[in-house]
Amino acid sequence: MLGLKLPTDPRWVNIVEKNIEEILTDHAFCEQKATSTAISLIVSFPEYTELVQEMVALVKEEISHFKMVHDKILERGWVLGRDRRDDYVIELLKFFPKGGSRTTQLVHRLLYAALIEARSCERFRLLSEELKDKELATFYRNLMVSEANHYTMFLGFARQYGEKKEVDTKWQQLLEYESQIIVKLGKNETIHG
Ligand SMILES: [Fe+2]
Ligand SMILES: [Fe+2]
């Protein structure tokens, strides 16, 4: 599914289930970061018109996801806590060397975004299938569908703006690297933990 090389251990859901407040807090900030990423791509690459148009739409969608998660937190009588450190993303962003041409930098950012969307989508699918809390399971099923579209959109832009064969090779290498990060995770009640 989604080209990922290693599926998440389903026992991760048992850890999540013990602390719904924690997963919702972390999830809310994942949506905020997705919004910020889209804005940052607009700022860094304004001349890529098609990308800018899609990022505007994405900003609206991701901030609406943020609101959906925030509403869930309030419904359950909690208040949104502080952002959590995302070690998965910190490790992932070490893969491509810094610098390179403008196109190269754009391709790298698009591939990172595609992969984070793909892994998030896989985690949402797992939550939608395994959570005993059925209301929350349905919530994650609906979100899973939109994140899958984001993954294909980012990958599509990388192939469109970069040299397709080179992009595909980099994508495979990044997937391989990501599976080595994921093998050590699945132990925390965070979206990428
Ligand atoms: Fe989202
Ligand atoms: Fe997304």
Side-chain angles (χ1 to χ4, degrees):
M1 183 212 185
L2 303 159
L4 299 170
K5 304 264 185 214
L6 190 74
T8 296
D9 184 335
R11 284 174 297 181
W12 166 74
V13 181
N14 305 129
I15 299 166
V16 166
E17 232 153 16
K18 293 195 187 93
N19 198 344
I20 298 294
E21 186 177 3
E22 184 67 20
I23 189 83
L24 288 176
T25 303
D26 180 67
H27 180 184
F29 284 105
C30 287
E31 301 293 355
Q32 172 267 314
K33 284 169 207 157
T35 311
S36 301
T37 297
I39 294 173
S40 155
L41 283 166
I42 295 172
V43 175
S44 302
F45 301 95
E47 74 276 33
Y48 289 82
T49 303
E50 206 181 322
L51 177 71
V52 171
Q53 292 287 63
E54 284 299 323
M55 289 304 105
V56 172
L58 188 62
V59 167
K60 291 184 196 163
E61 196 183 342
E62 298 291 16
I63 202 68
S64 82
H65 291 169
F66 173 84
K67 178 167 165 41
M68 284 160 68
V69 183
H70 189 231
D71 287 346
K72 276 271 162 283
I73 290 170
L74 301 183
E75 268 169 32
R76 291 178 182 230
W78 299 316
V79 173
L80 178 63
R82 299 293 294 267
D83 187 12
R84 270 47 174 174
R85 187 187 149 93
D86 194 333
D87 289 319
Y88 166 78
V89 172
I90 292 170
E91 280 306 306
L92 193 68
L93 299 186
K94 290 177 184 167
F95 184 68
F96 291 121
K98 302 267 173 283
S101 74
R102 200 166 155 68
T103 316
T104 301
Q105 288 176 41
L106 172 60
V107 164
H108 291 171
R109 284 176 66 177
L110 292 169
L111 291 181
Y112 283 141
L115 189 44
I116 295 166
E117 293 283 358
R119 181 57 73 183
S120 306
C121 180
E122 188 243 11
R123 292 277 171 109
F124 290 176
R125 182 184 55 80
L126 210 53
L127 292 172
S128 77
E129 289 171 357
E130 305 284 336
L131 277 176
K132 289 182 209 73
D133 182 330
K134 289 302 155 209
E135 194 248 30
L136 214 53
T138 308
F139 178 70
Y140 278 106
R141 168 150 300 279
N142 295 333
L143 279 175
M144 177 192 87
V145 177
S146 53
E147 305 305 347
N149 290 330
H150 299 166
Y151 146 70
T152 49
M153 175 191 62
F154 278 119
L155 193 56
F157 273 131
R159 288 182 174 140
Q160 179 182 333
Y161 295 136
E163 200 276 303
K164 195 181 163 298
K165 233 179 130 209
E166 193 188 322
V167 168
D168 286 341
T169 305
K170 283 183 176 181
W171 176 241
Q172 288 307 316
Q173 291 166 341
L174 183 62
L175 284 169
E176 196 57 55
Y177 173 75
E178 195 253 9
S179 71
Q180 293 161 23
I181 301 174
I182 278 297
V183 80
K184 292 180 253 158
L185 299 176
K187 297 174 185 73
N188 289 318
E189 56 274 71
T190 55
I191 295 295
H192 304 126

